[in-house]
Amino acid sequence: MSSGILVFCEHENGVFKKTAHELLAKASALVGDVGGEVSAVVIGGPTGAELGGFGAARVYSVQGDAFSQHNTGAWVSALAAVVGQADPAVLLGAASSAGRDLFPRLSARLSAGMASEVTDLSVDGGQLVATRPIYAGKAFTQVRITSSLGLYTVRPNSFTVPDSNGAVADEVAVAVEVGAGAERARVVEVMESNTDTVDLTEADRIVSGGRSLKSSDGFDDVIVPLARSLGATPGASRAAVDAGYVPHSWQVGQTGKVVNPSVYIACGISGAIQHLAGMRTSKVIVAINKDPDAPIFQHATYGIVDDLFEVCPVLAKAFENALS
Amino acid sequence: INESQTGIVTEEIKWEVNPYDEFALEAALQLKEQGKATEVIVFSMGGGDVDARIKDGLARGADTAVRLDDDAFVGSDSLGVARVLAAAAAKAEVGLLLCGKQAVDNDCAQVPGMTAEFLGWPQAVDISHLELDGETITAHRDVGGGKKFSLQASLPAVLSCDKGMNTPRFASLKGIMMAKRKPITVWGAADLGLDASKVGAAGAVVQESQFAPPPQRPAGRIIEGESVSQKVDELVRLLREEAKVL
Ligand SMILES: Cc1cc2nc3c(=O)[nH]c(=O)nc-3n(C[C@H](O)[C@H](O)[C@H](O)COP(=O)(O)OP(=O)(O)OC[C@H]3O[C@@H](n4cnc5c(N)ncnc54)[C@H](O)[C@@H]3O)c2cc1C
Ligand SMILES: Nc1ncnc2c1ncn2[C@@H]1O[C@H](COP(=O)(O)O)[C@@H](O)[C@H]1O
């Protein structure tokens, strides 16, 4: 019978992403009630021994040329092969761009039910219960999966990450045959621009600016330096994107990115419902706005009523001092 | 949310086409205008009440439409929807299936990838740019962290469309008149050769329960101070000592 929790661990530039540690730690906390053990699957990239420190007893590793770069067909085959070998009851992954691509296809291949963009996991009577937002976060629902395997993609930063306990996991190499189909869709180029920042959807700290920045220079001179001082990723409201100050990939909200950082700093953003839809689950929200009646203050943990052009540079200095 | 918290009250809702599906339809119409597609077909799985939305697609320029409707389909989870869509795409012998990146009610983002797998076709999801050259699709996908993938896929394929790929047109008056005469075909489980136990509530393996509003955020506070630097100092202190996020 299927048992245990398998975690798809993503990595970038040879190091595991924070989501890998986050999901393993959560899996470890849940596995006692689910039954079985926690294992990890790694495709391409680094050795997974260190994942033992976050609770993985075993790491299934799929390596080879076909797996060195993201490829939907090859990676789905890899995950399916590892699921076949590990026979878990639960497969967890991040609701990242890779998770969005791979998990639905894997779900269909294995006839396993799937819950996406999960923000909390608990166990009820031995069964996993996933909490997930619907209607862009205006409501939440609980999902139970009745197939013998359930797939879940979890929003980054939903759970805390403990320090490694130093344990080392057993590594199991899994050989995977890639069907000819994998060539029918492939990445031909990775186009990069300012890749020194973390993906918004995975970022732990975000500094966003609105229409009030008045120009792309406003973002360059005020938002980007403040973000840098905090090690944060810059974001924006739709009004700023529509005005052409920053690209759409920066947009937070209902028609942009849904983010889940521990700190979200909104500078000159009014707090429209569509913007809130993208950031309301942030642990701490800071609003800087000169209008004391701006709706954003109703959702902010801390608010400063003042001119952002005066506050942000001083705040950037203060963060630099505090974090140095 | 209904009183027993077991579902969403849909009686008063004004139904609209999913905005991401509008990008998909627009992309299809543009491919036809470029002479790269011969026919644009709208598929919608739902009851007779979806006809008004289907007509909107026909009015914008789609040639034909199929409503996927059967008592056996009611209560489908994403896998069930994908089984039906895949069977319909295969029966209609489409060369390219364009979807939205996600439905804006359930926010699942599952059906396109599942449908691609059931069809055995390649996929590109969340795409914001599309070109078709012969049998080869070039698509761009924002993968975050300042990176975009340029993907190539061969037809037949399934794509899911994000914002930014086009600006959907409105229906013209002429289009609306013409749509009135365009028929909507209805296909059920038997037409699609589908096993009724694999779709609808009978085949569903994902159960939703307990609907609730989002948790209330505790009341926030405005930081007072004589000067900008006083306010900033207090904010940094709170972030460090109270919120413990620095
Ligand atoms: C279907 C739909 C989808 C949408 N999707 C999104 C989405 O994904 N994301 C999104 O953000 N929006 C979205 N919107 C738009 C949303 O409704 C708002 O229009 C938008 O968020 C407003 O952006 P803003 O806060 O930058 O601008 P405004 O609402 O104009 O607010 C500017 C704020 O800046 C303050 N301000 C001005 N100057 C200063 C200064 N010097 N110092 C301090 N404060 C200052 C003002 O007091 C004001 O509160 C959507 C709308 C629709 C209809
Ligand atoms: N009932 C349906 N009828 C037609 N297309 C659908 C249906 N459900 C989902 N889709 C397609 O799949 C996309 C993603 O939906 P979802 O996976 O539910 O978020 C939508 O944008 C549609 O293009």
Side-chain angles (χ1 to χ4, degrees):
Chain A
M1 208 191 91
S2 308
S3 79
I5 305 178
L6 177 67
V7 179
F8 171 45
C9 293
E10 291 183 51
H11 49 81
E12 195 166 27
N13 304 326
V15 290
F16 285 102
K17 289 194 178 182
K18 193 178 156 207
T19 53
H21 298 153
E22 178 187 345
L23 293 176
L24 282 171
K26 186 65 182 178
S28 306
L30 295 169
V31 78
D33 294 326
V34 173
E37 63 174 26
V38 175
S39 51
V41 44
V42 179
I43 305 178
T47 153
E50 63 135 302
L51 298 175
F54 299 90
R58 207 180 309 272
V59 177
Y60 297 92
S61 176
V62 181
Q63 303 294 339
D65 289 348
F67 306 101
S68 59
Q69 174 179 245
H70 185 93
N71 177 286
T72 313
W75 285 36
V76 169
S77 296
L79 288 172
V82 172
V83 166
Q85 192 160 331
D87 195 19
V90 173
L91 174 64
L92 298 183
S96 58
S97 64
R100 285 178 71 95
D101 188 36
L102 304 172
F103 272 51
R105 190 154 191 135
L106 184 66
S107 158
R109 185 162 307 174
L110 303 173
S111 293
M114 172 173 174
S116 29
E117 305 279 339
V118 169
T119 54
D120 200 10
L121 289 165
S122 58
V123 184
D124 177 24
Q127 232 226 332
L128 205 57
V129 182
T131 303
R132 63 181 303 272
I134 53 175
Y135 296 95
K138 291 185 205 80
F140 281 73
T141 176
Q142 294 195 340
V143 177
R144 285 177 171 78
I145 295 177
T146 57
S147 43
S148 58
L149 166 68
L151 271 49
Y152 305 80
T153 56
V154 179
R155 247 184 218 168
N157 303 325
S158 292
F159 308 119
T160 49
V161 187
D163 290 332
S164 167
N165 66 16
V168 173
D170 285 338
E171 273 201 272
V172 184
V174 180
V176 178
E177 282 290 325
V178 181
E183 272 306 296
R184 286 185 290 147
R186 59 201 172 87
V187 178
V188 289
E189 193 192 342
V190 181
M191 300 176 284
E192 311 204 357
S193 64
N194 65 54
T195 48
D196 53 332
T197 55
V198 180
D199 178 4
L200 269 176
T201 52
E202 295 178 26
D204 188 44
R205 294 169 178 176
I206 294 171
V207 175
S208 283
R211 190 200 311 269
S212 50
L213 269 300
K214 296 208 196 89
S215 65
S216 48
D217 286 347
F219 272 83
D220 288 347
D221 298 343
V222 179
I223 298 300
V224 172
L226 179 57
R228 197 168 291 140
S229 73
L230 188 61
T233 301
S237 72
R238 170 162 162 185
V241 171
D242 285 353
Y245 305 160
V246 291
H248 177 250
S249 59
W250 287 36
Q251 185 180 316
V252 171
Q254 188 173 319
T255 44
K257 300 266 162 59
V258 177
V259 302
N260 197 23
S262 60
V263 197
Y264 187 91
I265 305 185
C267 307
I269 290 178
S270 59
I273 179 91
Q274 296 90 352
H275 189 79
L276 290 167
M279 43 64 83
R280 69 190 318 157
T281 60
S282 307
K283 262 147 235 108
V284 173
I285 296 172
V286 177
I288 301 166
N289 195 304
K290 65 180 181 190
D291 174 8
D293 297 324
I296 189 80
F297 287 124
Q298 277 153 35
H299 305 271
T301 327
Y302 306 120
I304 291 184
V305 181
D306 220 317
D307 186 341
L308 73 92
F309 292 100
E310 309 223 342
V311 176
C312 292
V314 180
L315 187 56
K317 284 243 163 54
F319 281 146
E320 263 161 33
N321 293 337
L323 296 171
S324 66
Chain B
I1 299 169
N2 64 19
E3 253 172 58
S4 56
Q5 300 219 318
T6 50
I8 301 289
V9 183
T10 54
E11 275 79 35
E12 308 266 293
I13 286 180
K14 182 176 162 279
W15 295 94
E16 283 178 23
V17 174
N18 181 21
Y20 295 109
D21 293 9
E22 295 187 356
F23 301 129
L25 175 62
E26 180 62 32
L29 294 173
Q30 289 184 9
L31 288 174
K32 187 176 173 196
E33 283 162 359
Q34 292 161 12
K36 294 174 178 172
T38 47
E39 188 188 1
V40 176
I41 313 174
V42 171
F43 293 98
S44 186
M45 175 172 161
D49 51 347
V50 302
D51 278 359
R53 258 58 58 188
I54 292 178
K55 284 282 179 196
D56 180 61
L58 291 169
R60 290 185 203 209
D63 300 295
T64 55
V66 183
R67 168 155 49 86
L68 305 162
D69 189 3
D70 194 310
D71 287 345
F73 297 164
V74 177
S76 289
D77 58 12
S78 297
L79 284 169
V81 175
R83 284 193 180 96
V84 174
L85 269 186
K91 182 178 165 81
E93 295 180 358
V94 305
L96 180 61
L97 183 63
L98 287 148
C99 296
K101 76 160 178 176
Q102 69 193 55
V104 295
D105 46 9
N106 62 36
D107 291 328
C108 278
Q110 296 178 346
V111 167
M114 291 172 175
T115 307
E117 173 66 17
F118 286 133
L119 287 162
W121 295 356
Q123 70 186 47
V125 299
D126 304 339
I127 65 166
S128 54
H129 171 85
L130 167 66
E131 279 165 57
L132 178 61
D133 183 13
E135 297 281 294
T136 305
I137 292 155
T138 304
H140 293 176
R141 174 174 193 226
D142 175 2
V143 291
K147 278 192 207 156
K148 267 187 193 168
F149 283 166
S150 175
L151 294 144
Q152 268 181 8
S154 58
L155 294 180
V158 178
L159 306 178
S160 83
C161 304
D162 198 351
K163 203 186 159 202
M165 73 187 298
N166 55 42
T167 307
R169 70 193 66 189
F170 292 106
S172 65
L173 204 55
K174 182 164 162 251
I176 295 170
M177 298 310 290
M178 280 168 65
K180 291 202 171 124
R181 289 195 301 273
K182 293 180 186 167
I184 298 174
T185 308
V186 180
W187 288 344
D191 302 302
L192 297 170
L194 279 169
D195 177 350
S197 73
K198 293 269 195 214
V199 294
V205 292
V206 177
Q207 252 96 41
E208 283 188 332
S209 63
Q210 270 292 316
F211 292 72
Q216 279 290 319
R217 295 191 73 89
R221 91 167 85 136
I222 300 288
I223 296 170
E224 309 290 345
E226 301 285 300
S227 64
V228 164
S229 64
Q230 266 189 16
K231 294 179 193 175
V232 162
D233 288 346
E234 176 64 0
L235 173 62
V236 173
R237 188 189 71 77
L238 288 166
L239 288 173
R240 189 201 285 267
E241 292 171 16
E242 189 180 75
K244 298 195 169 61
V245 290
L246 282 190

